[in-house]
Amino acid sequence: MLRHAIPAGLNPWRLLLTALAVGSCVVVCVAADEVPATAAQPAATEKLEYFETQVRPLLVKRCYKCHSTETGPENGSLILDTAAGISTGGSRGSMFHKDMPDKGLLQRAISYSDPDLEMPPDGKLAAPELAVLEKWIRDGAAIPEYKSAPRPKLSRIDWAEGRKFWSFQPLNAVAPPELPDRQWGSRPFDAFVLAKLNANKVAPNPPADRAQLLRRLTFDLTGLPPTPADLEAFLNDDSTQAYERLVDRLLASPHFGERWARVWLDLARYTDDTPDWQNPTDRGWLYRDWIVRSFNENRPYDQFVRLQLAADLLRGTPPQDLAALGFLGLSPTYWKELKLAPSVIEQIVADEWDERIDAVSRTFLGLTVSCARCHDHKFDPISADDYYGLAGVIASTQLDQRPLLPDAESQVVRVARQKVQQLTDQLKPLKEKKAPEAEALERQIAEIRANTPHFDEPWAHVLKESSLYVVPDGADATKLEYREAVARDLPVFRRGNPSNPGDIVPRRFLSVFQAGDSAGFKNGSGRAELADSLLKQSSGLLARVIVNRIWDQHFHGGLVRTPSDFGAQGDRPTHPELLEYLSDQFVAKGWDLKWLHREIVMSATYRQSTAFRADANAIDPANHLLWRMNRRPLDFEMWRDATLAVTGQLNLAIGGPGRPIDDQLNVRRTIYVTVNREELHPVMRMHDFPEASSHSPRREPTTTALQQLFVLNSPWMEQQATAMWLRLQPLATDDERIDTCYRLLFSRSPTTPERQVALRFLGANASPVAGGADATASGVAQRESQWKDYLQALLGLNEFHFVD
């Protein structure tokens, strides 16, 4: 049990009851023998990713001029373009102070706190740049332990060698291994797992019991807990097809799309609200609903990708599918103060392009293409020319909005809205003056609105073919010039600086996937050609990445443990042949996502129990061999949805605008909670919900005191306990109520000790309260209070927060 002080106002019975009833803590924690050996890896990976995406570009821009391999010996022997140089420091010694980060040489230099050590010497870093370096220093100044030596600065990429890397290879048909007397496995790919287990002399776990399997499968496929009726039906179904029928029913559920859409929305940095300078500002939900619909309809993944990049450029695209463009249409945008010089605005625009390249490349290809913004990629065969070839596609595409209607009808609505906006602008000063002309204008506006079909149709975030140019507007001021239907090729920005352009690079795909000279994109921005290239030239990597993401969600650990980095710095697959087999089959089945889910959950590998075994753990503590199923914590959405479901409040309506999470009357599924990019709600941040400002590869669960206190003391949790009591109150006896609780929350019946402790706590055998009506009312209130305390304790148990 976790040891901590009991917060003021908390009934200590709750803590005691939990310990007695289940022997675990009230809040989410992981037993010591359940912690994988690589538990700290995600945090380290995140810090290295921060260095590559935020710190290194800043060092290139502001420091390499004086402190690189070429110039460092002349400037205090400080070399910042190698890991060894950063670690060693210069002639003054290490740049970092282990115990007091704010006293280190680098911190003193960049903060200008030491008059004799001010860097850069030509002026202090801007506040955002300073914040990047200070965060890096504060977090331990992580730098990569290079798995391959970085190329010398002036060397060329060896494309032939680069194409030999495992993830860049075309897909190969791999046959499952032939195993003598194989008794284990219901799917061909189980043979890959069993072969590796046999080679390491580890036996697989036995299957999970039916109740555990039902709960696991229902959460995995729908994000919701099974009902007691589901449990009873499954336990009483003696057919050999019972599990298969359960899988098919859950795959066909409309809630399947909601559960898996939320996984995708993390990758797409989904937000409901966009900044007030971007219109519309509150229609992100149209993209979210399109994703839900696509998963429910089992849209082939190749079509799913193509529509998100180029729905507006594909012939015959139904208007409703234009919502798919929200993947880029909802991209972060940054404020551009046009009273500043063009060089400043050019940098802001380049940052926007960079974010979109990063989202596309990491989401679909699992490659960190953005690391080639300032120089050739240090580890992967991705050149700066490759980066700016893709940047030209992004630079030729602008964010737009439109109703999801056929073009002709959409144009009518657009013209009508423009006219209404003009009239509204005229109306405002007239109303302030109370001029008689105001009434006539109001009538004209009302007529246009009434006589224009679909005038109030919501407008989706989409894209348009248009290039943005940053041009001077007088002295030290800037103008943004949009050129409709004009594509542009960008020059290489030397060291990532738009003010220092090099050779122009035609819009094109990554060279590593192309034999011979790279063919440029010719049609408009090139988005449709980019989608074609992804699906034809890099189809193997595209398939491996999405197969691994789905495996990761089902097993709480990918075959590749870095789901958005399939490059040299990413992890290698634990079962390369298995990943190849599933990816090849996935493409052969027509990029069928539901086929992939079904194949995985029908396997013996998936159906194993989570039971801990000392013999297997001694050989494979991180469970890379898949000798058992990993126990996993519920994501925030699953936990909140499950809480509302078991208390009988969950509203299962699908789609529509989001509602704030702090709305106490909001009992919809959490995928419909409003996500705000600029200010993520503290409750969501507390429970590991990702920031919506950048691509998030996967959830990294934590256990913190704030989560514990939320479960113990928050008004929302007290509200759920009250709702649960109201659901149970009509039952005749406490025994029935306790049984129902356990079936709802844990998909099982209580054990005898659990029942005894509950009855003892609830005072089921206490004498009736005497003393008239007032005393009776007091006794009823006390009894309700005891029940609510008990229910809140059950809602906080590990067993409810985790899935076996």
Side-chain angles (χ1 to χ4, degrees), residues 248-262:
D248 290 340
R249 176 174 68 80
L250 294 173
L251 285 173
S253 167
H255 307 303
F256 169 83
E258 293 173 312
R259 184 268 189 270
W260 287 92
R262 187 56 258 180

Side-chain angles (χ1 to χ4, degrees), residues 36-106:
T38 56
Q41 182 181 343
T45 302
E46 187 175 315
K47 290 179 181 179
L48 294 180
E49 187 176 292
Y50 184 81
F51 175 82
E52 291 294 350
T53 59
Q54 302 293 324
V55 178
R56 189 192 290 278
L58 182 55
L59 297 179
V60 171
K61 177 182 174 184
R62 303 305 299 266
C63 307
Y64 278 17
K65 181 179 179 181
C66 300
H67 297 290
S68 66
T69 305
E70 295 177 348
T71 60
E74 305 167 9
N75 293 284
S77 298
L78 180 60
I79 296 171
L80 297 179
D81 61 354
T82 68
I86 295 172
S87 298
T88 304
S91 58
R92 294 180 182 232
S94 173
M95 296 190 294
F96 311 105
H97 193 296
K98 180 180 179 182
D99 300 318
M100 294 183 289
D102 59 331
K103 301 297 183 183
L105 283 172
L106 180 58

Side-chain angles (χ1 to χ4, degrees), residues 94-345:
S94 173
M95 296 190 294
F96 311 105
H97 193 296
K98 180 180 179 182
D99 300 318
M100 294 183 289
D102 59 331
K103 301 297 183 183
L105 283 172
L106 180 58
Q107 178 64 46
R108 284 161 45 200
I110 62 176
S111 64
Y112 277 38
S113 61
D114 183 342
D116 298 324
L117 187 65
E118 296 180 345
M119 291 291 163
D122 56 352
K124 190 175 179 180
L125 293 172
E129 296 174 325
L130 196 60
V132 166
L133 289 181
E134 287 178 339
K135 173 176 169 51
W136 176 55
I137 295 168
R138 197 165 55 246
D139 289 348
I143 54 176
E145 295 179 5
Y146 297 120
K147 295 180 182 175
S148 57
R151 296 186 307 280
K153 186 175 181 181
L154 299 179
S155 71
R156 297 177 61 85
I157 294 174
D158 186 338
W159 296 107
E161 189 65 28
R163 291 185 181 107
K164 295 178 183 178
F165 190 70
W166 75 270
S167 67
F168 300 137
Q169 298 296 306
L171 285 174
N172 291 308
V174 181
E178 292 291 336
L179 299 176
D181 302 323
R182 181 161 73 93
Q183 301 294 320
W184 185 82
S186 57
R187 279 297 184 269
F189 82 72
D190 284 323
F192 294 103
V193 177
L194 186 59
K196 200 149 191 173
L197 288 170
N198 290 344
N200 288 273
K201 298 181 180 179
V202 178
N205 260 6
D209 66 46
R210 276 201 164 195
Q212 288 179 333
L213 204 53
L214 172 69
R215 192 166 188 269
R216 177 191 304 172
L217 188 67
T218 309
F219 270 116
D220 272 5
L221 293 184
T222 68
L224 295 169
T227 66
D230 294 335
L231 178 64
E232 185 176 356
F234 186 52
L235 294 181
N236 293 330
D237 189 343
D238 296 328
S239 167
T240 57
Q241 304 298 312
Y243 183 74
E244 187 172 1
R245 283 202 297 266
L246 173 64
V247 170
D248 290 340
R249 176 174 68 80
L250 294 173
L251 285 173
S253 167
H255 307 303
F256 169 83
E258 293 173 312
R259 184 268 189 270
W260 287 92
R262 187 56 258 180
V263 175
W264 186 264
L265 295 177
D266 282 7
L267 308 176
R269 69 271 193 261
Y270 171 78
T271 181
D272 283 275
D273 295 327
T274 55
D276 55 11
W277 60 82
Q278 181 181 346
N279 290 314
T281 61
D282 60 348
R283 300 292 156 71
W285 59 269
L286 291 168
Y287 172 68
R288 177 247 289 151
D289 285 358
W290 183 86
I291 298 292
V292 172
R293 231 173 17 253
S294 294
F295 281 121
N296 277 335
E297 294 170 358
N298 199 26
R299 192 183 295 269
Y301 185 68
D302 57 343
Q303 186 185 110
F304 182 73
V305 171
R306 197 184 298 275
L307 287 169
Q308 290 186 77
L309 293 176
D312 57 322
L313 305 179
L314 304 177
R315 184 176 299 174
T317 300
Q320 291 301 315
D321 279 343
L322 294 173
L325 297 170
F327 181 84
L328 286 173
L330 282 166
S331 296
T333 58
Y334 313 131
W335 174 250
K336 304 169 187 68
E337 177 49 70
L338 299 182
K339 294 181 181 179
L340 297 174
S343 60
V344 178
I345 306 304

